[in-house]
């Protein structure tokens, strides 16, 4: 069967922690979208791993696949694999030949366009990894795929077509100097060698066939979403979004396994007990003004600084309309709620239960970001819960969670319309309370 893990909010909900927990029961862990803009943290007995491209199942020694829906920077991939090897792991990562390659000019253009857009507040605060420009080229049918790196003639043809366009864009439209990142010869030599390493290490696969044969043999596959529903290019807060589909449908299109297989499995939404946001755009439940001290406190306590870029994350109360939107867009069968330890010991705990927009009460997100930005949250207050020994709570299980936190969890589950499968009370694998293992469910 399959289990799909998706972010229910704005990314950084703690997906890595749950992929690590349930990846222990999977045979293969596959990413289906995004690239090295992701930053997934796994903590095992105090050892922290931050993964941007290698699927988080690597810490459990599982086969990892980067599906066709991913955009792959092979340099990041190799350096991450090398780093994990140094730490004593032996990651087995396969890359779809249909996945698109992030080239140096994509990263340069990402930065250039963000700067230009910032004049009109349209910059998304990207991670600068070249994600958007690579997906643009994919949709424009001028991209370079992993499979193209394996055939020098094809690689040269593709580069000769696309690189002069990119150079002209950078020089003539944006007026910036270009260098090796926009030079056909330099790129050809470097990426041909990368293709050779991919071949030598037998890393490339036809991802759909590869995963399909595992499933045919009765294996369990975990699909690891990156980013989150509200930064999905279709279902998120456009244009402050990423350029792929983190929502569950992406697990099908991004791997070559059909939607009925994905849908027969479990789709688990990862929920952070409050909101964090590393990019730009509106955020109705953001803690600002008089609440800034509270935001600082939560940021420090929750370590809310970008895994990829180190940027301080913006903080807000839980946005429940956002979760209802995620429940529908992903057909969530269950949720995992993380970070309830971070909210412990506060004087007040609130959630945005619904929005007020032009005198109307809304229970899900409006489709345009302009309207969303004008939404006033209707806050609902919860009794705060005390700071406790969370390691002990994790050992004892759900009943040891402070009652007020249980009331909060039960409210979230009821509003989302999905049962709670796990609760995060700290970053370590041992600090997740598991109520349901989705691999044991018959959906
Ligand atoms: P991802 O991108 O969704 O995988 O999430 P990140 O790894 O970017 O950010 C989540 C952060 O919170 C990481 O530092 C995790 O180690 C940490 N974390 C995950 N679950 C919990 C939890 O329940 N409590 C606390 N305090 N930290 C958690
Ligand atoms: P994980 O997988 C949080 C945000 C960026 C920016 C927008 C577009 O760790 O949850 P991009 O570089 O993708 O073109 O940036 O999306 N963003 C994330 N925010 N978590 C992530 O990944 C993110 N990946 C991208 O901050 O607003
Ligand atoms: Mg992250």
């Amino acid at each position: 069967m399959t289990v799909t893990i998706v972010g229910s909010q704005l990314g950084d909900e703690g997906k890595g922690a749950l992929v690590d927990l349930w990846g222990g029961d999977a045979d293969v862990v596959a990413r289906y979208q995004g690239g090295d803009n992701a930053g997934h943290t796994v903590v095992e007995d105090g050892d922290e791993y931050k993964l941007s491209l290698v699927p988080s199942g690597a810490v459990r020694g599982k086969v990892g696949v980067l599906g066709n829906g991913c955009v792959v920077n092979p340099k990041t991939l190799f350096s991450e694999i090398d780093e994990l090897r140094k730490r004593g792991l032996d990651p087995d990562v396969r890359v779809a030949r249909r996945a698109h390659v992030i080239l140096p000019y994509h990263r340069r253009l990402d930065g250039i366009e963000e700067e230009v857009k910032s004049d009109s507040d349209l910059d998304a605060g990207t991670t600068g990894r070249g994600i958007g420009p690579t997906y643009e080229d994919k949709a424009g049918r001028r991209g370079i795929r992993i499979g193209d790196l394996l055939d020098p003639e094809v690689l040269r043809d593709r580069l000769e077509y696309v690189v002069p366009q990119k150079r002209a864009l950078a020089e003539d439209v944006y007026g910036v100097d270009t260098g090796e990142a926009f030079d056909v010869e330099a790129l050809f030599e470097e990426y041909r060698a990368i293709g050779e390493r991919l071949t030598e290490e037998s890393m490339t696969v036809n991802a759909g066939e590869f995963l399909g044969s595992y499933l045919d043999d009765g294996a369990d596959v975990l699909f690891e979403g990156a980013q989150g529903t509200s930064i999905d290019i279709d279902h998120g807060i456009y244009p402050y979004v990423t350029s792929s589909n983190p929502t569950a449908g992406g697990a099908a299109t991004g791997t070559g396994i059909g939607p009925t297989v994905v849908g027969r499995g479990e789709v688990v939404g990862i929920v952070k007990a409050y909101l964090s946001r590393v990019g730009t755009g509106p955020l109705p439940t953001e803690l600002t003004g008089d609440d800034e001290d509270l935001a600082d406190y939560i940021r420090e306590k929750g370590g809310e600084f970008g895994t990829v870029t180190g940027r301080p994350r913006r903080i807000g109360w839980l946005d429940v309309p956002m979760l209802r939107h995620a429940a529908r867009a992903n057909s969530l069968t269950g949720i995992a709620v993380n970070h309830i330890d971070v909210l412990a010991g506060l004087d007040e705990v609130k959630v945005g239960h619904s929005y007020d927009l032009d005198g109307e009460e809304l229970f899900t997100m409006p489709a345009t970001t302009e309207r969303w930005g004008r939404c006033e949250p209707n806050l609902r207050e919860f009794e705060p819960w005390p700071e406790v020994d969370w390691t002990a709570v994790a050992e004892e299980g759900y009943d040891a969670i402070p009652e007020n936190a249980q009331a909060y969890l039960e409210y979230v589950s009821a509003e989302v319309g999905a049962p709670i499968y796990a609760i995060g009370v700290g970053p370590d694998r041992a600090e997740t309370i598991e109520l349901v293992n989705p691999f044991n469910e018959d959906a």
Side-chain angles (χ1 to χ4, degrees), residues 130-373:
I131 305 296
T134 308
Y135 278 115
E136 267 179 60
D137 280 355
K138 170 179 174 173
R141 295 163 297 178
R142 66 181 90 83
I144 293 177
R145 307 205 294 182
I146 288 290
D148 301 334
L149 304 183
L150 313 180
D151 184 333
E153 254 177 66
V154 175
L155 176 61
R156 182 177 283 283
D157 283 352
R158 297 274 192 274
L159 288 169
E160 281 178 354
Y161 174 75
V162 74
V163 174
Q165 288 185 15
K166 299 294 163 190
R167 199 168 47 236
L169 179 64
E171 289 175 353
D172 304 340
V173 177
Y174 295 121
V176 300
D177 288 335
T178 54
E180 288 213 330
F182 293 79
D183 181 273
V184 173
E185 265 328 302
L187 290 167
F188 175 72
E189 287 308 328
E190 186 173 17
Y191 283 81
R192 186 179 60 163
I194 284 172
E196 280 167 10
R197 177 165 172 190
L198 288 168
T199 303
E200 275 161 24
E201 300 196 19
S202 307
M203 285 174 72
T204 72
V205 291
N206 179 337
E209 278 182 9
F210 184 80
L211 292 166
S213 67
Y214 267 94
L215 288 166
D216 287 346
D217 291 343
D220 286 326
V221 174
L222 192 148
F223 294 123
E224 173 177 5
Q227 290 82 49
T229 302
S230 280
I231 54 173
D232 180 290
I233 190 157
D234 287 290
H235 304 290
I237 51 171
Y238 195 90
Y240 308 105
V241 293
T242 192
S243 299
S244 66
N245 288 121
T247 41
T253 53
T255 61
I257 296 299
T260 50
V261 173
V262 175
R264 271 200 299 276
E266 290 276 322
V267 178
V268 187
I270 312 305
V271 176
K272 182 177 268 184
Y274 49 91
L275 278 193
S276 69
R277 167 68 171 142
V278 70
T280 53
L283 199 58
T285 59
E286 184 165 16
L287 292 168
T288 51
D290 290 347
D291 289 326
E292 225 141 85
D293 286 350
L294 182 55
D296 289 344
Y297 175 81
I298 293 175
R299 184 179 302 112
E300 287 299 325
K301 189 168 177 199
E304 297 294 354
F305 297 87
T307 310
V308 176
T309 57
R311 290 179 286 181
R313 295 174 181 154
R314 299 158 67 193
I315 304 294
W317 292 125
L318 190 73
D319 184 321
V320 182
M322 184 185 280
L323 293 182
R324 295 187 193 105
H325 174 65
R328 193 206 60 255
N330 296 293
S331 311
L332 298 180
T333 57
I335 57 174
V337 184
N338 284 323
H339 298 88
I340 61 160
D341 55 307
V342 177
L343 295 184
L346 298 182
D347 295 333
E348 50 175 9
V349 175
K350 294 180 186 163
V351 301
H353 176 76
S354 61
Y355 307 132
D356 245 351
L357 181 65
D358 301 332
E360 204 189 331
E361 187 175 17
L362 303 183
F363 290 89
T364 62
M365 295 170 83
T368 70
T369 305
E370 290 69 27
R371 279 169 63 79
W372 189 55

Side-chain angles (χ1 to χ4, degrees), residues 42-86:
V42 171
V43 187
E44 180 190 47
D45 296 333
D47 282 337
E48 187 178 71
Y49 298 88
K50 288 190 177 293
L51 302 160
S52 65
L53 205 46
V54 171
S56 302
V59 178
R60 290 293 192 100
K62 304 297 171 172
V63 177
V65 175
L66 296 174
N68 56 276
C70 295
V71 286
V72 179
N73 184 331
K75 294 188 208 173
T76 310
L77 179 61
F78 290 143
S79 70
E80 213 163 88
I81 289 174
D82 292 345
E83 192 58 37
L84 291 171
R85 282 187 183 146
K86 266 191 227 153

Side-chain angles (χ1 to χ4, degrees), residues 359-436:
E360 204 189 331
E361 187 175 17
L362 303 183
F363 290 89
T364 62
M365 295 170 83
T368 70
T369 305
E370 290 69 27
R371 279 169 63 79
W372 189 55
R374 289 198 292 111
C375 285
E376 281 296 327
N378 292 313
L379 295 175
R380 190 177 274 199
E381 200 159 344
F382 282 76
E383 289 296 323
W385 50 93
E387 192 61 79
V388 293
D389 177 348
W390 292 103
T391 314
V393 168
E395 270 169 31
E396 285 170 51
Y398 189 82
D399 291 342
I401 294 175
E403 258 176 40
N404 291 341
Q406 288 188 16
Y408 188 84
L409 292 165
E410 281 153 23
Y411 161 81
V412 172
S413 172
E415 293 301 320
V416 170
I420 296 185
Y421 284 4
I423 299 134
V425 298
D428 208 286
R429 186 187 299 152
E431 290 167 323
T432 304
I433 299 171
E434 183 187 81
L435 301 181
V436 174

Side-chain angles (χ1 to χ4, degrees), residues 106-128 133 170 173-177 280 311:
H106 291 125
R107 283 177 73 125
R108 285 284 303 281
L109 288 166
D110 190 350
I112 293 167
E113 202 181 349
E114 278 280 284
E115 202 178 317
V116 174
K117 277 180 161 177
S118 67
D119 291 341
S120 33
D121 285 338
L122 287 172
D123 55 317
T126 71
T127 59
V173 177
Y174 295 121
V176 300
D177 288 335
T280 53
R311 290 179 286 181

